[in-house]
Amino acid sequence: MNQIRTGAFISERRKAKGWTQSQLAEKLGITDKAVSKWETGRSMPDLSLFMPLCTLLDITLSELFAGECIAEEELKEKTDEVLMDVISNWLGHDKMEKVRFRESKKCDTVPQNVLEVENVSRLYENNSVLAVNNVSFQIPQGSFVGIMGASGSGKTTLLNLIATIDKPTNGAVRISGQNIVDMLDKAAAEFRRRHLGFVFQEYNLLETLTIYENIALALTIKEVSKESIRPMIQSLSEKLDISAILDKFPYEVSGGQRQRCACARAIVINPDIILADEPTGALDSHAARQLLDTFAMLCREYNATILMVTHDVMAASYCDRILFMKDGEIKAALNRKQESKQAFFADILKKIEWMEGEAGCI
Ligand code: ADP
Ligand code: MG
């Protein structure tokens, strides 16, 4: 990306519209000085201004970064080039290192435990609530595990402890053999970016980037070579049924499509584990099923490991194993063997009924 070229392009497009620098500044709600700085190549617009600026000047984001109009037939090739350039500039990564993709993990015969939770507790001292109480379990690679429980049973707290967002009062959490409990904040943030994928209901995509750019951005963390990015995203988006919307912005697509994009972004970095907190919570039942099918496919075909919190029995019936939480404890577990989703659904209902009966509070 050449800042001076982008600046000259902004100036050219502004003049073509017949606006002064002040008029453009006013439309964007910024100072004249800022516009002047862009146009002379002394600074770039803030991320949040990219889209409004492009809309006003009738150009695409790629054209803004390229500093020129891009002909239709060159669009694909140029967009890749420009995107990589921008990403390298932002994040300072441009290493030609080959990424090890899912295929390499598929041949492992004995699944290793990706996640080991050992005697973990979390006490909220402000209200003396033991939100997670001496919980232990393991998740082998390639499995799709659900955590179920009523509201307030400690599901989100447990997931946050695994996500390195919160710290347990006691116990150990190991991800791929590494104890994440004692990590300092900076190391934890780096660990999250490299080893964990998130599909949270409120975990938004960047609104100023297209779906393609959102997925590609995640890849730069892994220092993926330029040549591998497009084929990787293309093959994955076909599987996730989002190929047709790659050039759209998040606000232009449905909730279900956004969640599948979040899945693409999560899986594309080849994380050790994908964590999902009520991922179907805001979706209609068709979109929810599609997302759950996507999760199941990621496990089957990419050997992904997924831990999903849900209170929805339909969502849980897609899992291989369910852990049932109540009052911060794991009270029961259920494995899906060869049975159908319908049979597993019925088993889950029975287990919930049993748990409620057990505590005498139906
Ligand atoms: P779930 O996700 O299953 O609905 P949570 O993990 O959110 O449950 O909450 C478990 C318990 O911990 C609840 O009693 C809740 O009130 C309490 N809790 C959750 N977060 C906090 C917090 N930040 N401070 C104090 N108590 C909390
Ligand atoms: Mg919750």
Side-chain angles (χ1 to χ4, degrees):
M1 184 173 52
N2 182 328
Q3 215 161 290
I4 293 180
R5 209 156 77 189
T6 294
F9 187 53
I10 295 174
S11 168
E12 180 195 313
R13 299 294 300 189
R14 171 182 60 74
K15 286 177 191 157
K17 291 272 176 193
W19 298 329
T20 60
Q21 287 187 343
S22 319
Q23 283 169 323
L24 177 61
E26 198 185 326
K27 289 178 198 298
L28 290 167
I30 53 167
T31 61
D32 305 7
K33 211 166 154 192
V35 175
S36 159
K37 275 189 166 176
W38 304 341
E39 292 193 358
T40 48
R42 280 174 294 158
S43 74
M44 278 293 284
D46 280 354
L47 196 61
S48 62
L49 289 174
F50 284 161
M51 276 329 292
L53 181 62
C54 287
T55 310
L56 281 171
L57 300 180
D58 275 335
I59 53 173
T60 65
L61 198 57
S62 302
E63 286 174 324
L64 176 72
F65 292 141
E68 60 184 5
C69 292
I70 300 173
E72 190 82 30
E73 60 274 14
E74 285 182 292
L75 200 63
K76 250 199 164 89
E77 194 188 330
K78 267 274 166 60
T79 304
D80 279 359
E81 217 177 274
V82 167
L83 178 66
M84 273 319 301
D85 214 25
V86 171
I87 287 172
S88 313
N89 262 299
W90 271 345
L91 301 176
H93 284 301
D94 195 11
K95 288 193 192 149
M96 297 288 200
E97 218 173 90
K98 262 241 167 298
V99 81
R100 139 194 87 100
F101 210 43
R102 280 288 157 198
E103 302 307 320
S104 57
K105 289 188 176 177
K106 268 190 155 174
C107 0
D108 292 356
T109 41
V110 184
Q112 303 283 320
N113 280 334
V114 167
L115 175 69
E116 289 167 335
V117 174
E118 210 175 278
N119 305 115
V120 163
S121 298
R122 175 68 168 98
L123 174 71
Y124 285 115
E125 280 170 16
N126 56 349
N127 56 5
S128 322
V129 171
L130 197 52
V132 171
N133 186 2
N134 200 25
V135 162
S136 299
F137 63 96
Q138 295 92 34
I139 299 187
Q141 180 159 33
S143 49
F144 183 8
V145 176
I147 296 181
M148 290 197 81
S151 178
S153 57
K155 305 182 297 294
T156 295
T157 304
L158 178 59
L159 204 70
N160 287 344
L161 296 173
I162 297 166
T164 74
I165 293 166
D166 191 11
K167 287 197 187 304
T169 319
N170 284 306
V173 178
R174 279 184 290 275
I175 295 177
S176 300
Q178 197 172 348
N179 192 349
I180 57 161
V181 166
D182 300 323
M183 275 182 190
L184 298 175
D185 288 353
K186 210 171 153 199
E190 180 68 10
F191 186 87
R192 273 198 296 278
R193 276 204 296 275
R194 288 183 175 270
H195 296 270
L196 306 179
F198 293 95
V199 184
F200 283 10
Q201 208 175 299
E202 71 284 10
Y203 192 66
N204 291 323
L205 301 162
L206 286 172
E207 296 289 334
T208 49
L209 299 182
T210 63
I211 301 294
Y212 180 90
E213 291 163 342
N214 263 286
I215 303 170
L217 195 60
L219 273 172
T220 59
I221 307 292
K222 286 274 178 168
E223 296 156 5
V224 179
S225 75
K226 289 181 190 181
E227 301 80 51
S228 335
I229 286 194
R230 184 161 281 272
M232 239 181 204
I233 295 182
Q234 252 156 4
S235 82
L236 188 59
S237 47
E238 269 161 36
K239 296 238 183 229
L240 301 192
D241 194 21
I242 50 170
S243 317
I245 54 156
L246 285 178
D247 294 328
K248 290 197 187 298
F249 289 92
Y251 59 81
E252 296 177 305
V253 306
S254 72
Q257 287 170 326
R258 288 173 75 105
Q259 283 299 59
R260 295 207 299 286
C261 295
C263 284
R265 190 182 50 181
I267 190 73
V268 83
I269 63 154
N270 192 15
D272 297 355
I273 188 165
I274 294 179
L275 303 172
D277 193 357
E278 305 276 5
T280 57
L283 303 182
D284 61 54
S285 66
H286 173 74
R289 276 169 215 276
Q290 226 181 341
L291 179 69
L292 294 159
D293 280 329
T294 301
F295 279 146
M297 182 279 290
L298 292 176
C299 290
R300 209 174 45 241
E301 294 184 27
Y302 292 84
N303 206 20
T305 311
I306 301 177
L307 178 60
M308 173 177 76
V309 159
T310 184
H311 63 258
D312 176 6
V313 182
M314 192 276 285
S317 66
Y318 282 71
C319 297
D320 309 324
R321 178 175 168 80
I322 313 279
L323 305 172
F324 294 89
M325 275 191 95
K326 187 166 188 153
D327 303 327
E329 291 178 57
I330 292 184
K331 298 278 192 189
L334 204 56
N335 288 316
R336 176 168 161 199
K337 296 183 187 90
Q338 296 303 322
E339 62 196 322
S340 67
K341 246 191 315 247
Q342 287 75 4
F344 195 45
F345 185 103
D347 284 350
I348 298 168
L349 278 181
K350 272 186 246 160
K351 191 62 105 181
I352 293 172
E353 230 169 18
W354 170 83
M355 275 181 50
E356 285 175 350
E358 181 91 326
C361 55
I362 300 171

PDB file of all heavy atoms in Angstrom, residues 71-92:
ATOM      1  N   ALA A  71     -10.194  -2.250 -12.901  1.00  0.00           N
ATOM      2  CA  ALA A  71     -11.128  -2.754 -13.905  1.00  0.00           C
ATOM      3  C   ALA A  71     -11.731  -4.068 -13.436  1.00  0.00           C
ATOM      4  O   ALA A  71     -11.087  -4.842 -12.724  1.00  0.00           O
ATOM      5  CB  ALA A  71     -10.405  -2.972 -15.224  1.00  0.00           C
ATOM      6  N   GLU A  72     -12.984  -4.297 -13.838  1.00  0.00           N
ATOM      7  CA  GLU A  72     -13.742  -5.489 -13.437  1.00  0.00           C
ATOM      8  C   GLU A  72     -12.934  -6.776 -13.601  1.00  0.00           C
ATOM      9  O   GLU A  72     -12.825  -7.599 -12.697  1.00  0.00           O
ATOM     10  CB  GLU A  72     -15.012  -5.560 -14.299  1.00  0.00           C
ATOM     11  CG  GLU A  72     -16.026  -6.587 -13.851  1.00  0.00           C
ATOM     12  CD  GLU A  72     -16.910  -6.059 -12.714  1.00  0.00           C
ATOM     13  OE1 GLU A  72     -17.165  -4.832 -12.645  1.00  0.00           O
ATOM     14  OE2 GLU A  72     -17.318  -6.875 -11.902  1.00  0.00           O
ATOM     15  N   GLU A  73     -12.289  -6.935 -14.772  1.00  0.00           N
ATOM     16  CA  GLU A  73     -11.602  -8.201 -15.072  1.00  0.00           C
ATOM     17  C   GLU A  73     -10.346  -8.404 -14.215  1.00  0.00           C
ATOM     18  O   GLU A  73      -9.867  -9.515 -14.055  1.00  0.00           O
ATOM     19  CB  GLU A  73     -11.290  -8.339 -16.575  1.00  0.00           C
ATOM     20  CG  GLU A  73     -10.398  -7.257 -17.173  1.00  0.00           C
ATOM     21  CD  GLU A  73     -11.207  -6.023 -17.624  1.00  0.00           C
ATOM     22  OE1 GLU A  73     -12.388  -5.911 -17.231  1.00  0.00           O
ATOM     23  OE2 GLU A  73     -10.658  -5.180 -18.351  1.00  0.00           O
ATOM     24  N   GLU A  74      -9.833  -7.320 -13.649  1.00  0.00           N
ATOM     25  CA  GLU A  74      -8.618  -7.444 -12.832  1.00  0.00           C
ATOM     26  C   GLU A  74      -8.947  -7.545 -11.344  1.00  0.00           C
ATOM     27  O   GLU A  74      -8.061  -7.697 -10.515  1.00  0.00           O
ATOM     28  CB  GLU A  74      -7.760  -6.184 -12.998  1.00  0.00           C
ATOM     29  CG  GLU A  74      -7.017  -6.065 -14.290  1.00  0.00           C
ATOM     30  CD  GLU A  74      -6.185  -4.789 -14.244  1.00  0.00           C
ATOM     31  OE1 GLU A  74      -6.780  -3.704 -14.241  1.00  0.00           O
ATOM     32  OE2 GLU A  74      -4.967  -4.906 -14.170  1.00  0.00           O
ATOM     33  N   LEU A  75     -10.241  -7.425 -11.052  1.00  0.00           N
ATOM     34  CA  LEU A  75     -10.674  -7.226  -9.671  1.00  0.00           C
ATOM     35  C   LEU A  75     -10.138  -8.284  -8.712  1.00  0.00           C
ATOM     36  O   LEU A  75      -9.541  -7.968  -7.687  1.00  0.00           O
ATOM     37  CB  LEU A  75     -12.206  -7.176  -9.624  1.00  0.00           C
ATOM     38  CG  LEU A  75     -12.784  -6.512  -8.391  1.00  0.00           C
ATOM     39  CD1 LEU A  75     -12.343  -5.052  -8.352  1.00  0.00           C
ATOM     40  CD2 LEU A  75     -14.297  -6.579  -8.415  1.00  0.00           C
ATOM     41  N   LYS A  76     -10.309  -9.546  -9.074  1.00  0.00           N
ATOM     42  CA  LYS A  76      -9.925 -10.649  -8.185  1.00  0.00           C
ATOM     43  C   LYS A  76      -8.439 -10.605  -7.852  1.00  0.00           C
ATOM     44  O   LYS A  76      -8.044 -10.602  -6.694  1.00  0.00           O
ATOM     45  CB  LYS A  76     -10.286 -11.976  -8.837  1.00  0.00           C
ATOM     46  CG  LYS A  76     -11.423 -12.634  -8.116  1.00  0.00           C
ATOM     47  CD  LYS A  76     -11.519 -14.098  -8.407  1.00  0.00           C
ATOM     48  CE  LYS A  76     -12.399 -14.724  -7.373  1.00  0.00           C
ATOM     49  NZ  LYS A  76     -13.800 -14.762  -7.672  1.00  0.00           N
ATOM     50  N   GLU A  77      -7.661 -10.549  -8.909  1.00  0.00           N
ATOM     51  CA  GLU A  77      -6.215 -10.600  -8.742  1.00  0.00           C
ATOM     52  C   GLU A  77      -5.713  -9.398  -7.939  1.00  0.00           C
ATOM     53  O   GLU A  77      -4.965  -9.536  -6.973  1.00  0.00           O
ATOM     54  CB  GLU A  77      -5.592 -10.608 -10.133  1.00  0.00           C
ATOM     55  CG  GLU A  77      -4.133 -10.998 -10.145  1.00  0.00           C
ATOM     56  CD  GLU A  77      -3.561 -10.784 -11.535  1.00  0.00           C
ATOM     57  OE1 GLU A  77      -4.356 -10.920 -12.518  1.00  0.00           O
ATOM     58  OE2 GLU A  77      -2.391 -10.449 -11.640  1.00  0.00           O
ATOM     59  N   LYS A  78      -6.189  -8.222  -8.337  1.00  0.00           N
ATOM     60  CA  LYS A  78      -5.757  -6.986  -7.684  1.00  0.00           C
ATOM     61  C   LYS A  78      -6.188  -6.954  -6.215  1.00  0.00           C
ATOM     62  O   LYS A  78      -5.433  -6.541  -5.345  1.00  0.00           O
ATOM     63  CB  LYS A  78      -6.364  -5.785  -8.422  1.00  0.00           C
ATOM     64  CG  LYS A  78      -5.465  -5.219  -9.491  1.00  0.00           C
ATOM     65  CD  LYS A  78      -4.517  -4.227  -8.858  1.00  0.00           C
ATOM     66  CE  LYS A  78      -3.339  -3.779  -9.649  1.00  0.00           C
ATOM     67  NZ  LYS A  78      -3.394  -3.132 -10.850  1.00  0.00           N
ATOM     68  N   THR A  79      -7.420  -7.428  -5.946  1.00  0.00           N
ATOM     69  CA  THR A  79      -7.927  -7.383  -4.578  1.00  0.00           C
ATOM     70  C   THR A  79      -7.031  -8.197  -3.654  1.00  0.00           C
ATOM     71  O   THR A  79      -6.688  -7.776  -2.562  1.00  0.00           O
ATOM     72  CB  THR A  79      -9.377  -7.919  -4.538  1.00  0.00           C
ATOM     73  OG1 THR A  79     -10.127  -7.156  -5.438  1.00  0.00           O
ATOM     74  CG2 THR A  79      -9.975  -7.796  -3.155  1.00  0.00           C
ATOM     75  N   ASP A  80      -6.610  -9.361  -4.132  1.00  0.00           N
ATOM     76  CA  ASP A  80      -5.705 -10.204  -3.340  1.00  0.00           C
ATOM     77  C   ASP A  80      -4.414  -9.479  -3.006  1.00  0.00           C
ATOM     78  O   ASP A  80      -3.960  -9.450  -1.873  1.00  0.00           O
ATOM     79  CB  ASP A  80      -5.312 -11.450  -4.144  1.00  0.00           C
ATOM     80  CG  ASP A  80      -6.384 -12.494  -4.067  1.00  0.00           C
ATOM     81  OD1 ASP A  80      -7.385 -12.233  -3.381  1.00  0.00           O
ATOM     82  OD2 ASP A  80      -6.223 -13.551  -4.689  1.00  0.00           O
ATOM     83  N   GLU A  81      -3.870  -8.890  -4.056  1.00  0.00           N
ATOM     84  CA  GLU A  81      -2.582  -8.215  -3.927  1.00  0.00           C
ATOM     85  C   GLU A  81      -2.686  -7.082  -2.907  1.00  0.00           C
ATOM     86  O   GLU A  81      -1.896  -6.986  -1.979  1.00  0.00           O
ATOM     87  CB  GLU A  81      -2.259  -7.625  -5.296  1.00  0.00           C
ATOM     88  CG  GLU A  81      -0.807  -7.678  -5.696  1.00  0.00           C
ATOM     89  CD  GLU A  81      -0.702  -7.128  -7.107  1.00  0.00           C
ATOM     90  OE1 GLU A  81      -0.888  -7.916  -8.062  1.00  0.00           O
ATOM     91  OE2 GLU A  81      -0.498  -5.914  -7.251  1.00  0.00           O
ATOM     92  N   VAL A  82      -3.728  -6.279  -3.092  1.00  0.00           N
ATOM     93  CA  VAL A  82      -3.917  -5.119  -2.236  1.00  0.00           C
ATOM     94  C   VAL A  82      -4.181  -5.549  -0.798  1.00  0.00           C
ATOM     95  O   VAL A  82      -3.610  -5.018   0.150  1.00  0.00           O
ATOM     96  CB  VAL A  82      -5.110  -4.278  -2.761  1.00  0.00           C
ATOM     97  CG1 VAL A  82      -5.543  -3.255  -1.749  1.00  0.00           C
ATOM     98  CG2 VAL A  82      -4.729  -3.617  -4.061  1.00  0.00           C
ATOM     99  N   LEU A  83      -5.020  -6.554  -0.669  1.00  0.00           N
ATOM    100  CA  LEU A  83      -5.376  -7.025   0.664  1.00  0.00           C
ATOM    101  C   LEU A  83      -4.138  -7.490   1.431  1.00  0.00           C
ATOM    102  O   LEU A  83      -3.933  -7.131   2.587  1.00  0.00           O
ATOM    103  CB  LEU A  83      -6.401  -8.165   0.553  1.00  0.00           C
ATOM    104  CG  LEU A  83      -6.817  -8.774   1.871  1.00  0.00           C
ATOM    105  CD1 LEU A  83      -7.582  -7.760   2.707  1.00  0.00           C
ATOM    106  CD2 LEU A  83      -7.674 -10.005   1.653  1.00  0.00           C
ATOM    107  N   MET A  84      -3.306  -8.285   0.775  1.00  0.00           N
ATOM    108  CA  MET A  84      -2.104  -8.802   1.445  1.00  0.00           C
ATOM    109  C   MET A  84      -1.210  -7.656   1.869  1.00  0.00           C
ATOM    110  O   MET A  84      -0.616  -7.664   2.926  1.00  0.00           O
ATOM    111  CB  MET A  84      -1.326  -9.729   0.492  1.00  0.00           C
ATOM    112  CG  MET A  84      -1.771 -11.144   0.501  1.00  0.00           C
ATOM    113  SD  MET A  84      -2.158 -11.772   2.144  1.00  0.00           S
ATOM    114  CE  MET A  84      -0.602 -11.549   2.995  1.00  0.00           C
ATOM    115  N   ASP A  85      -1.157  -6.663   0.998  1.00  0.00           N
ATOM    116  CA  ASP A  85      -0.334  -5.514   1.256  1.00  0.00           C
ATOM    117  C   ASP A  85      -0.808  -4.777   2.505  1.00  0.00           C
ATOM    118  O   ASP A  85      -0.023  -4.434   3.381  1.00  0.00           O
ATOM    119  CB  ASP A  85      -0.479  -4.608   0.023  1.00  0.00           C
ATOM    120  CG  ASP A  85       0.802  -3.898  -0.258  1.00  0.00           C
ATOM    121  OD1 ASP A  85       1.848  -4.417   0.131  1.00  0.00           O
ATOM    122  OD2 ASP A  85       0.738  -2.805  -0.851  1.00  0.00           O
ATOM    123  N   VAL A  86      -2.116  -4.574   2.562  1.00  0.00           N
ATOM    124  CA  VAL A  86      -2.700  -3.858   3.692  1.00  0.00           C
ATOM    125  C   VAL A  86      -2.484  -4.633   4.984  1.00  0.00           C
ATOM    126  O   VAL A  86      -2.062  -4.093   6.008  1.00  0.00           O
ATOM    127  CB  VAL A  86      -4.221  -3.657   3.469  1.00  0.00           C
ATOM    128  CG1 VAL A  86      -4.878  -3.127   4.720  1.00  0.00           C
ATOM    129  CG2 VAL A  86      -4.437  -2.697   2.316  1.00  0.00           C
ATOM    130  N   ILE A  87      -2.763  -5.936   4.891  1.00  0.00           N
ATOM    131  CA  ILE A  87      -2.617  -6.787   6.072  1.00  0.00           C
ATOM    132  C   ILE A  87      -1.176  -6.751   6.572  1.00  0.00           C
ATOM    133  O   ILE A  87      -0.913  -6.604   7.766  1.00  0.00           O
ATOM    134  CB  ILE A  87      -3.065  -8.223   5.733  1.00  0.00           C
ATOM    135  CG1 ILE A  87      -4.592  -8.268   5.613  1.00  0.00           C
ATOM    136  CG2 ILE A  87      -2.588  -9.203   6.786  1.00  0.00           C
ATOM    137  CD1 ILE A  87      -5.129  -9.578   5.101  1.00  0.00           C
ATOM    138  N   SER A  88      -0.230  -6.848   5.655  1.00  0.00           N
ATOM    139  CA  SER A  88       1.180  -6.828   6.060  1.00  0.00           C
ATOM    140  C   SER A  88       1.508  -5.500   6.719  1.00  0.00           C
ATOM    141  O   SER A  88       2.230  -5.454   7.710  1.00  0.00           O
ATOM    142  CB  SER A  88       2.094  -7.006   4.854  1.00  0.00           C
ATOM    143  OG  SER A  88       1.626  -8.056   4.078  1.00  0.00           O
ATOM    144  N   ASN A  89       0.957  -4.430   6.144  1.00  0.00           N
ATOM    145  CA  ASN A  89       1.213  -3.121   6.717  1.00  0.00           C
ATOM    146  C   ASN A  89       0.664  -2.979   8.117  1.00  0.00           C
ATOM    147  O   ASN A  89       1.308  -2.463   9.013  1.00  0.00           O
ATOM    148  CB  ASN A  89       0.543  -2.053   5.852  1.00  0.00           C
ATOM    149  CG  ASN A  89       1.524  -1.435   4.906  1.00  0.00           C
ATOM    150  OD1 ASN A  89       2.505  -0.842   5.329  1.00  0.00           O
ATOM    151  ND2 ASN A  89       1.278  -1.614   3.637  1.00  0.00           N
ATOM    152  N   TRP A  90      -0.565  -3.444   8.306  1.00  0.00           N
ATOM    153  CA  TRP A  90      -1.205  -3.338   9.609  1.00  0.00           C
ATOM    154  C   TRP A  90      -0.504  -4.172  10.662  1.00  0.00           C
ATOM    155  O   TRP A  90      -0.275  -3.740  11.759  1.00  0.00           O
ATOM    156  CB  TRP A  90      -2.655  -3.844   9.511  1.00  0.00           C
ATOM    157  CG  TRP A  90      -3.618  -2.797   9.145  1.00  0.00           C
ATOM    158  CD1 TRP A  90      -3.431  -1.446   9.163  1.00  0.00           C
ATOM    159  CD2 TRP A  90      -4.946  -3.027   8.682  1.00  0.00           C
ATOM    160  NE1 TRP A  90      -4.561  -0.825   8.731  1.00  0.00           N
ATOM    161  CE2 TRP A  90      -5.509  -1.758   8.434  1.00  0.00           C
ATOM    162  CE3 TRP A  90      -5.710  -4.155   8.467  1.00  0.00           C
ATOM    163  CZ2 TRP A  90      -6.801  -1.617   7.979  1.00  0.00           C
ATOM    164  CZ3 TRP A  90      -6.983  -3.994   8.011  1.00  0.00           C
ATOM    165  CH2 TRP A  90      -7.528  -2.746   7.766  1.00  0.00           C
ATOM    166  N   LEU A  91      -0.266  -5.418  10.276  1.00  0.00           N
ATOM    167  CA  LEU A  91       0.179  -6.349  11.307  1.00  0.00           C
ATOM    168  C   LEU A  91       1.674  -6.634  11.268  1.00  0.00           C
ATOM    169  O   LEU A  91       2.196  -7.330  12.127  1.00  0.00           O
ATOM    170  CB  LEU A  91      -0.606  -7.659  11.199  1.00  0.00           C
ATOM    171  CG  LEU A  91      -2.117  -7.493  11.338  1.00  0.00           C
ATOM    172  CD1 LEU A  91      -2.830  -8.802  11.122  1.00  0.00           C
ATOM    173  CD2 LEU A  91      -2.480  -6.939  12.703  1.00  0.00           C
ATOM    174  N   GLY A  92       2.316  -6.140  10.263  1.00  0.00           N
ATOM    175  CA  GLY A  92       3.762  -6.315  10.183  1.00  0.00           C
ATOM    176  C   GLY A  92       4.206  -7.750   9.961  1.00  0.00           C
ATOM    177  O   GLY A  92       5.294  -8.125  10.357  1.00  0.00           O
TER     178      GLY A  92
END
